[in-house]
Amino acid sequence: MDPSTIGLVSLALMVLLIQLGIHIAVVLLLLSFVATWLIRGNVDIAGNLLAKAAETSLQSYSFGVIPLFVMMGLLVSASGVGRDTFAVAGYAFRRILAGLGMATVAANTVFAAINGSSIASASVFTKLAVPELVRQGYNRRFSVGVVAGSSVLGMLIPPSLLLIFYGIVAEVSIGDLFTAGIVPGLILAGAFILTIAAMARIRPSYVGDPTTDAEETSRLSAREITYKIGPITLLIVIVMGGIYGGVFTPVEAGGVGALASLLLALARRSLTWRGFWKVLIETGFVTSSISILIIAAHFYASMLSLSRLPTVLGLWIETADLSFGVLLLIYLAIVLLLGTVLDSVSIILIALPLVQPVMVSMGVDMVWFGIITIIAVEVGLLTPPLGLSAFVIKANLDDPEISLNDIFIGAAPFAITMLIVLALIVFLPVLATGLIR
């Protein structure tokens, strides 16, 4: 069988096996091994390539950023910062129509700047925001939609674990990706707030009594606001300011952030020995799962190189005389389609090694390409049937009246908003690259 045909068959089998519920790392390792064996006709070569992928992929200095930022996010969550941020945001937006909904977006934006995970944001704010939104008269679908939509900010606003993952797989500067994610992340947060404002004007019943927020939100003194929002603000300034100011690298920033988060949790007396042990165990679980994914990604990229599938794809594009615009549109459409059935990491692992050589040959800025890829992939978190954020929200809900279908319907306006912002970044690349040029 022709090597490119073997590579193409392996791609189809990957999507099928992942859909059947087999872990993405197992699928990538198994199919890459078998495909390499068939292409080269020697099982020893396949074994040697697998060993090399395991040896070299985790030796990268930049890989150290993963456990450090994971630990930082877990310590921040344990310290109760999410709850305090939501309280301050709710107070700040209390006199605005749909203010509590906007406060949820604002709090998620701040929380994303130190947490880095959409799933963690969805979990935290489902418990914090949804009950309060419903209590103050907000429509249930609207309430869960706000949380689902704003939770995706965790994967775009730095330090984002998905940006880190993309940077390692694509071998792109993580610092540049962090910088490039700032403006698009803030634009997306602002677009979500505008979406909430528009929906509140069109359907006032979605937000209940507009005076309720102002009347029922507890008054906060300047001292209380400082106590609640001061620590996370300081943490953001230390970590992100240190990176952008050139004081330390992203890896060093992860170490500083993890230490600062630990001190914050201890100072607030919110971390027990049992809680600290749980943070360490969960950090180990997340890091080990990402490690095996990175090994699988490198082995998969080696298999694709042997199959010459990227080269064949490039020749087909050249023969078909496709413009870059048409090619990008096809790519984004495929990513959006995959987002309905696969998780974010699986999409990046499958698509990126295949299209990156083509994009590099066309002179595409891989930092900008990373930002639009992340946004397109994150739309999948809100779309059925596999919208992961929707499932996380459902799992953390205490309200039996809210179904999974309600969550998807409530998140739909925010998914549309993300597509609009995606188009904006596509047509105005400077929004992503302006700060690093």
Side-chain angles (χ1 to χ4, degrees):
M1 190 182 295
D2 182 75
S4 59
T5 303
I6 294 174
L8 198 59
V9 171
S10 69
L11 279 177
L13 287 175
M14 281 177 193
V15 175
L16 175 62
L17 293 176
I18 293 170
Q19 275 294 92
L20 292 176
I22 303 176
H23 193 277
I24 175 64
V26 175
V27 173
L28 282 176
L29 289 171
L30 177 62
L31 290 181
S32 296
F33 185 88
V34 172
T36 301
W37 182 4
L38 293 174
I39 291 170
R40 299 305 297 267
N42 190 325
V43 70
D44 291 336
I45 294 178
N48 289 336
L49 281 177
L50 175 57
K52 184 178 180 181
E55 178 186 0
T56 61
S57 60
L58 302 184
Q59 289 182 347
S60 171
Y61 172 74
S62 60
F63 179 77
V65 76
I66 292 177
L68 294 172
F69 274 120
V70 168
M71 179 178 285
M72 181 179 70
L74 292 173
L75 288 169
V76 166
S77 296
S79 67
V81 165
R83 179 185 62 251
D84 289 345
T85 304
F86 179 65
V88 173
Y91 181 73
F93 285 85
R94 69 192 185 281
R95 299 191 183 279
I96 303 174
L97 179 65
L100 194 59
M102 297 178 187
T104 303
V105 175
N108 244 321
T109 303
V110 175
F111 192 66
I114 213 66
N115 177 66
S117 170
S118 294
I119 303 307
S121 296
S123 178
V124 169
F125 282 90
T126 297
K127 294 183 177 297
L128 288 177
V130 173
E132 187 64 16
L133 287 163
V134 172
R135 187 182 71 83
Q136 295 195 18
Y138 283 70
N139 175 278
R140 280 180 164 80
R141 286 180 175 176
F142 183 79
S143 299
V144 291
V146 169
V147 172
S150 58
S151 69
V152 303
L153 294 169
M155 285 303 185
L156 185 58
I157 295 177
S160 156
L161 289 180
L162 204 55
L163 283 177
I164 293 172
F165 191 79
Y166 174 91
I168 292 175
V169 174
E171 299 182 350
V172 176
S173 167
I174 293 173
D176 285 349
L177 286 169
F178 280 2
T179 304
I182 295 175
V183 174
L186 294 177
I187 290 174
L188 186 58
F192 283 158
I193 289 177
L194 291 176
T195 299
I196 292 171
M199 291 177 68
R201 293 289 182 184
I202 297 170
R203 292 287 183 89
S205 60
Y206 281 2
V207 297
D209 184 356
T211 64
T212 303
D213 291 1
E215 292 173 356
E216 297 194 9
T217 302
S218 301
R219 290 194 60 83
L220 296 176
S221 65
R223 182 177 180 179
E224 288 174 318
I225 292 174
T226 301
Y227 173 79
K228 289 179 178 295
I229 204 69
I232 192 170
T233 302
L234 180 61
L235 195 57
I236 293 171
V237 169
I238 291 173
V239 175
M240 306 314 296
I243 294 175
Y244 302 136
V247 179
F248 34 67
T249 66
V251 177
E252 294 166 343
V256 172
L259 176 60
S261 300
L262 176 61
L263 296 176
L264 170 61
L266 293 175
R268 295 167 68 100
R269 298 180 180 179
S270 58
L271 188 67
T272 62
W273 280 110
R274 183 187 295 272
F276 184 56
W277 179 249
K278 184 178 179 181
V279 166
L280 293 178
I281 293 296
E282 193 165 349
T283 300
F285 280 147
V286 174
T287 303
S288 59
S289 64
I290 293 177
S291 298
I292 191 68
L293 283 171
I294 289 175
I295 292 172
H298 278 76
F299 189 29
Y300 170 58
S302 298
M303 183 276 290
L304 285 180
S305 178
L306 288 175
S307 73
R308 299 184 70 251
L309 194 57
T311 303
V312 172
L313 179 61
L315 291 173
W316 176 80
I317 292 171
E318 184 177 340
T319 303
D321 197 24
L322 295 177
S323 67
F324 172 70
V326 173
L327 179 62
L328 183 62
L329 184 62
I330 294 173
Y331 168 76
L332 292 176
I334 292 174
V335 170
L336 291 169
L337 184 62
L338 289 176
T340 64
V341 293
L342 299 178
D343 63 274
S344 304
V345 171
S346 298
I347 296 171
I348 290 179
L349 282 176
I350 292 174
L352 186 59
L354 180 63
V355 302
Q356 184 178 5
V358 177
M359 293 299 168
V360 170
S361 68
M362 299 179 74
V364 175
D365 187 326
M366 292 308 294
V367 172
W368 167 76
F369 188 74
I371 297 300
I372 63 172
T373 296
I374 297 300
I375 296 175
V377 164
E378 287 297 282
V379 174
L381 287 179
L382 306 180
T383 54
L386 195 68
L388 197 55
S389 281
F391 282 93
V392 171
I393 290 172
K394 179 59 180 176
N396 285 277
L397 274 176
D398 295 323
D399 191 341
E401 294 186 29
I402 302 177
S403 67
L404 187 62
N405 190 49
D406 289 329
I407 300 173
F408 281 126
I409 293 173
F414 298 92
I416 294 171
T417 300
M418 291 184 70
L419 292 176
I420 294 172
V421 172
L422 173 62
L424 185 65
I425 305 301
V426 167
F427 286 108
L428 295 174
V430 68
L431 294 176
T433 60
L435 294 180
I436 58 176
R437 297 290 180 258

